[in-house]
Amino acid sequence: MHEAIIAKVKVSAHPDPEVHSLSVGRVLGETIIVSNKTKDGELGIYFPCELQLSEEFASVNNLVRKTNPDGTKSGGLFDENRRVRAQKLRGVKSNGFWCPLSYLSYAGDTSSLKEGDRIASFNGRELCKKYFSPRTLRSRSNASTQQDRETVWFPKHRDTEQLRHSLRDLQAGDNLVITLKLHGTSQRVAKNYEEKPLTWYDRILNFFGIERDRKVMRFYNGTRNVTLRGDDTGFYSESFRERVAAKLYPYLEPHMEVFFEVVGWEGDKTIMPTQDTLKTKDKEIKRLYGDKITYSYGCNPGEFAIYVYRIAYVLPSGTVVDLTWDQVKKKCESWNVKHVPEISRLTFDGDYDKLLEVVDAVTDGPDLVDSRHPREGVCVRVDSSHWKTFKNKSFLFKVLEGVAKEDDNYEDMEEVS
């Protein structure tokens, strides 16, 4: 869900005594920079990273930096693209943007808004949306002209929500599994029904009230958003996607769907783009990972690896039943296929702050598969027969991702495929 969240902010002094105009805020477990005029406990609007403020909202509140005719600078924290991003401001890691409710008063009375509300618009006025680079928008527009062909028997994988913004979805007693989040391309395969088209013979039988069972069992192959067929195209070649799927086809049982990340290489290029650390202002990134970061996950050029994170059965009725994490691991071991690395397990006791401390402690750092690049973050899975998983991205990765998206020619393959 790509929405702003109504939330209270906890305010403390900036750690640098020379900084007088800014304070440090905590919103939904995130650290942000706020004005020193912000009151502790004040209710406002929190915009998570990778949202884009609407042109109207940014203009009314003078949030975009600009150069005046006399050469002086004015405006707020945002570039012309109005993208909310992770960044260091005067030495403090800031994850998003918070502002008081008064910023929305131009759209009407805000007294009805309460803590926890999620809004992308207010009184019919757009407030924010997910940010896409210009090139990604063009590619998504082209991709939307292709027929998706999704069926009830081959459902897509739902977007994974941010842990910090979904804490109240967790209940005391939930058994949680923390796994590594991999920076790759999503894929899914299944063995399930397909309904054959009506033939002339079927139409005749239907005329006399006789219906034939037209369901046949087949293999499905798809990206995050598209069900692939021989005439489909995408960022990665159809032959590559089919080679990946072929690794799992022999193990699929009727009605089974497997979701996984593909990492490594497609031919002579990495599946995910190399990142240039020289474009960041963060010296720590360059010190840890050099001038360029290649997400190879230990694969040599031309090699790829599969990491399964979810297995489910999609019943003829359309009901989806997930395997537990231990059942997923057991299946993968019997298939000699990798699953996403498990980091730890715990039973949630209802203490949200303590949970965030535990998760944050394993979110940052070198990747556990290949320490030559940073980890993207972790996923926190509620271990049950119904899929409920949340993500927590590392600050360093969010900075790198944000720098990449500053390039108008950057294409987010996961949003296109």
Side-chain angles (χ1 to χ4, degrees):
M1 298 172 67
H2 309 300
E3 301 164 314
I5 305 169
I6 306 302
K8 291 181 179 179
V9 62
K10 296 179 181 179
V11 180
S12 59
H14 196 283
D16 186 345
E18 299 300 318
V19 178
H20 304 293
S21 61
L22 302 174
S23 296
V24 177
R26 289 283 290 176
V27 179
L28 300 173
E30 300 278 20
T31 300
I32 55 169
I33 289 294
V34 294
S35 164
N36 66 342
K37 297 178 182 179
T38 305
K39 298 177 182 178
D40 186 47
E42 185 176 356
L43 190 67
I45 313 164
Y46 172 64
F47 297 86
C49 292
E50 299 313 318
L51 287 182
Q52 181 182 42
L53 304 182
S54 73
E55 189 171 356
E56 179 184 38
F57 182 83
S59 176
V60 168
N61 294 293
N62 195 27
L63 294 174
V64 176
R65 288 188 294 269
K66 58 186 176 182
T67 302
N68 301 313
D70 62 0
T72 60
K73 305 284 186 180
S74 63
L77 294 170
F78 292 88
D79 297 325
E80 289 186 5
N81 60 22
R82 309 182 305 282
R83 181 170 64 86
V84 183
R85 58 190 178 93
Q87 57 187 317
K88 277 188 179 179
L89 294 170
R90 301 300 294 269
V92 175
K93 295 177 179 179
S94 184
N95 290 275
F97 172 66
W98 182 94
C99 61
L101 285 178
S102 59
Y103 277 42
L104 196 52
S105 59
Y106 70 90
D109 182 9
T110 61
S111 60
S112 62
L113 294 174
K114 61 184 184 301
E115 188 174 10
D117 285 348
R118 293 173 177 255
I119 55 172
S121 61
F122 184 68
N123 288 340
R125 319 268 287 263
E126 184 185 49
L127 179 62
C128 61
K129 60 185 177 182
K130 184 178 172 85
Y131 174 80
F132 298 106
S133 70
R135 181 172 178 178
T136 300
L137 279 176
R138 291 193 298 271
S139 295
R140 282 173 60 87
S141 177
N142 292 335
S144 67
T145 62
Q146 299 177 7
Q147 185 179 1
D148 190 345
R149 300 195 197 85
E150 181 184 26
T151 76
V152 70
W153 298 308
F154 190 45
K156 298 177 184 178
H157 182 68
R158 297 193 304 273
D159 285 344
T160 305
E161 298 296 327
Q162 297 283 349
L163 174 66
R164 279 175 158 75
H165 312 156
S166 309
L167 285 172
R168 302 300 166 180
D169 291 338
L170 299 176
Q171 298 179 351
D174 281 344
N175 293 315
L176 306 180
V177 181
I178 303 175
T179 57
L180 185 68
K181 192 175 193 309
L182 302 178
H183 188 43
T185 182
S186 301
Q187 194 160 335
R188 56 199 167 105
V189 294
K191 184 177 183 180
N192 217 329
Y193 287 135
E194 178 182 50
E195 195 161 19
K196 294 186 297 184
L198 281 170
T199 65
W200 65 268
Y201 185 64
D202 293 321
R203 291 188 178 90
I204 293 174
L205 291 178
N206 287 349
F207 179 79
F208 290 102
I210 303 171
E211 291 190 10
R212 291 201 309 168
D213 185 359
R214 294 185 289 111
K215 295 193 296 292
V216 294
M217 192 67 67
R218 58 157 288 199
F219 288 116
Y220 286 91
N221 182 20
T223 64
R224 193 166 73 98
N225 292 309
V226 179
T227 302
L228 298 173
R229 294 285 185 93
D231 56 348
D232 285 308
T233 59
F235 190 88
Y236 304 104
S237 67
E238 182 73 14
S239 61
F240 172 72
R241 291 288 191 182
E242 193 59 33
R243 289 199 310 274
V244 172
K247 300 286 186 182
L248 290 172
Y249 283 156
Y251 308 113
L252 296 180
E253 303 166 15
H255 311 297
M256 177 185 282
E257 183 166 5
V258 180
F259 303 83
F260 52 97
E261 287 290 314
V262 188
V263 298
W265 300 73
E266 183 194 6
D268 59 358
K269 67 177 182 179
T270 51
I271 288 172
M272 303 309 288
T274 297
Q275 291 180 320
D276 187 350
T277 63
L278 297 176
K279 293 181 179 180
T280 76
K281 297 179 181 179
D282 196 319
K283 295 180 181 178
E284 181 187 11
I285 296 176
K286 183 178 178 182
R287 179 180 63 82
L288 291 172
Y289 301 107
D291 294 344
K292 293 186 181 296
I293 297 176
T294 302
Y295 292 93
S296 60
Y297 285 93
C299 297
N300 295 318
E303 297 176 348
F304 63 84
I306 293 171
Y307 286 87
V308 173
Y309 57 83
R310 180 187 179 193
I311 301 175
Y313 285 93
V314 185
L315 306 181
S317 63
T319 300
V320 179
V321 180
D322 271 88
L323 297 190
T324 65
W325 176 242
D326 281 336
Q327 290 171 330
V328 170
K329 291 174 64 177
K330 188 175 180 180
K331 287 286 187 186
C332 289
E333 289 163 5
S334 68
W335 299 342
N336 195 28
V337 171
K338 297 174 182 177
H339 55 75
V340 292
E342 178 184 325
I343 297 174
S344 63
R345 303 186 188 205
L346 68 150
T347 300
F348 181 50
D349 63 3
D351 188 330
Y352 296 108
D353 291 335
K354 186 170 74 174
L355 175 63
L356 286 179
E357 288 180 7
V358 171
V359 174
D360 283 344
V362 296
T363 296
D364 292 289
D367 187 85
L368 298 178
V369 176
D370 189 339
S371 61
R372 293 173 296 178
H373 53 75
R375 70 186 71 172
E376 180 176 348
V378 298
C379 289
V380 179
R381 170 181 180 142
V382 179
D383 199 16
S384 73
S385 60
H386 299 285
W387 179 259
K388 186 190 288 187
T389 298
F390 309 96
K391 62 187 176 185
N392 195 51
K393 288 190 175 184
S394 73
F395 179 79
L396 191 152
F397 183 85
K398 286 190 286 188
V399 170
L400 289 167
E401 191 175 40
V403 169
K405 290 184 178 181
E406 286 299 312
D407 184 349
D408 287 348
N409 290 317
Y410 171 82
E411 184 172 11
D412 189 330
M413 289 83 73
E414 284 301 278
E415 297 297 342
V416 175
S417 62

